[in-house]
Amino acid sequence: MSSARRRLVLWLGLSVAVAAALYVVARVVDWPDWAEPIARYILEVGLPATLRVSAVAVVGSCLLGIALGTALTIDFAPSRALIRGYVEVFRGLPILVTVFMVYFGLPAISETLKFEALTATSIALILWGSAQVAEATRGAVQSIPHEQHEAASALGFGWVGRHGFVILPQALRRLLPPLVGLLVNIIQNSTLAQAIGGVEVLQAAKSQTERLTFFPPAGIGEIHAFEIFAGVMVLFFVISFPLTRLAAYLEKRLV
Amino acid sequence: MLLAVTYDLWAFVSENWRELLDGLVNTLKVSAIAIAGSFVIGLVLGAARAHRVPVVSQLTAVYVEIVRNTPILVQIFMIFYALPQFGILLNQFTVAWVSVMIWGGAFNSENFRAGFEAVPYRYREAGYALGFSPRATFFNVTLPIGGRISLPSSINTYISVLKNTSLMYVIGYAELTTTAINIAALTLETLEALTVLAVVYLALVWALSAGIRKLETKLALPESR
């Protein structure tokens, strides 16, 4: 086992152990009365929403981004300029502005383009993520030696077959580390839904924090922002940390 | 009153340019402070990590991992909503630059660490052989070379810092995004406001990245030119 792989296994093992320990502690510790319903709300309503938004965004970004990135290697100026513009615009804009464009801008153009907050966030993340993936794909595809193209052509593959069966499978190997990095970024950026009121982990936490500050019976008239947001941080950390370790490992293995 | 049903960018800008300009100035102000701060944080902590300074280096690693693995929005909420619980009440402007500075500092310390670690050990040995003290070696050998190696990645971090100031919308700080969206909420000129946002941010980001490419070629190490 290489030292890089040993380190990865160590970190992943440690992450699982910490997550298990957190779970046990959560079961054993005597929580204050307000904590349990809030933890349940965040984990049972917020977390599935965060994961759903992220999953849709990652799959969409990969499909669209790999297609655009491959098309970017075609030597045809108009299509290349178009895709380049798309990539530069959505990589350049703050993602929050893209979220506003989808959530506020599209309905202003046409009523049929009205999306609910979580869907709008997914779409915005796809626009941003696919631009990232397209750029990475272009590099990965161009890093495949020219002989591979020629060999595939000699075997009778057309452009689509050549890229689909020969070039992309090899490029995908190089694409894997940035894709895992993208997954982490998308999970974290799914919290942007909070800005437009989509109920994911962060919005769930924030609304409950505010509720607690109300007088009874709605709340308890206390501020517990630190405990709740610290919990949210732990939740995201437990999800992201193993993934960033994995990305670092994949990157090292490739070099 | 007739509500805005047509797209009139010029009317939007000419009626609201004062507010938008104030917003832009606030965005630039927060970005400038945060970029300067994250440069210092990155330089100091990156050097500490590259030279494996005990305690500081481990604490930096923890800081970097926490910032990298949690959403920046949660970090902003921590500072804005949770710190008052401990009697630390910061205004929106302070929260704005502090939170993006902490974020940028973490990423930047990784950039600088990578840059310093990329300086071949024999260069430092040469410094010692010339009689330089460790500190003089750092300032005369490691910093000029490693700093240039880390320049592209650290400037990308600064661009992200600039873009992340838009997140101050969630705490209501009147930077460009908040200003434009709030005007749009009043006047219903949504598309005009979004156009202004897109144009200004893209101009800033593209100008910065173009400037970087210039700077990069100018500062490139002789051997890679």
Side-chain angles (χ1 to χ4, degrees), chain B residues 10-26:
Chain B
W10 177 244
F12 178 79
V13 173
S14 60
E15 276 165 33
N16 302 298
W17 68 272
R18 257 173 253 274
E19 289 82 359
L20 291 169
L21 192 65
D22 283 345
L24 176 62
V25 169
N26 282 340

Side-chain angles (χ1 to χ4, degrees), chain A residues 27-244:
Chain A
R27 277 288 146 126
V28 173
V29 164
D30 201 14
W31 294 95
D33 286 340
W34 58 264
E36 203 203 316
I38 292 183
R40 273 192 185 285
Y41 182 61
I42 292 176
L43 292 174
E44 287 170 8
V45 178
L47 188 58
T50 291
L51 295 180
R52 210 167 45 233
V53 168
S54 308
V56 172
V58 166
V59 173
S61 303
C62 286
L63 293 178
L64 187 58
I66 290 176
L68 287 177
T70 314
L72 202 51
T73 60
I74 303 174
D75 202 14
F76 179 60
S79 76
R80 220 173 42 195
L82 217 63
I83 300 172
R84 215 7 60 228
Y86 174 89
V87 169
E88 293 301 328
V89 165
F90 288 111
R91 265 161 48 114
L93 286 175
I95 311 177
L96 185 63
V97 173
T98 312
V99 169
F100 287 151
M101 283 180 161
V102 175
Y103 190 64
F104 296 131
L106 291 184
I109 295 173
S110 158
E111 276 297 313
T112 53
L113 294 172
K114 204 168 192 161
F115 300 104
E116 58 145 346
L118 292 178
T119 316
T121 310
S122 283
I123 295 172
L125 288 175
I126 289 175
L127 291 172
W128 170 79
S130 61
Q132 302 281 67
V133 175
E135 186 63 25
T137 305
R138 184 194 57 82
V141 167
Q142 283 177 345
S143 74
I144 304 298
H146 204 247
E147 289 78 4
Q148 295 287 331
H149 286 267
E150 285 161 9
S153 301
L155 288 173
F157 282 117
W159 189 91
V160 174
R162 194 167 79 216
H163 283 83
F165 294 113
V166 181
I167 307 299
L168 278 180
Q170 299 181 68
L172 221 54
R173 243 182 87 86
R174 282 165 213 244
L175 213 51
L176 211 52
L179 286 186
V180 177
L182 179 86
L183 174 61
V184 177
N185 275 328
I186 282 185
I187 291 174
Q188 300 192 358
N189 283 323
S190 69
T191 54
L192 288 172
Q194 195 278 326
I196 50 174
V199 182
E200 38 67 67
V201 169
L202 188 58
Q203 173 60 21
K206 185 169 180 261
S207 63
Q208 291 304 307
T209 307
E210 280 162 5
R211 182 181 63 80
L212 281 190
T213 62
F214 298 154
F215 289 114
I220 54 172
E222 289 173 19
I223 301 176
H224 290 290
F226 177 75
E227 295 91 321
I228 294 174
F229 288 129
V232 171
M233 273 185 130
V234 171
L235 179 60
F236 275 104
F237 191 88
V238 168
I239 297 171
S240 302
F241 186 72
L243 290 173
T244 50

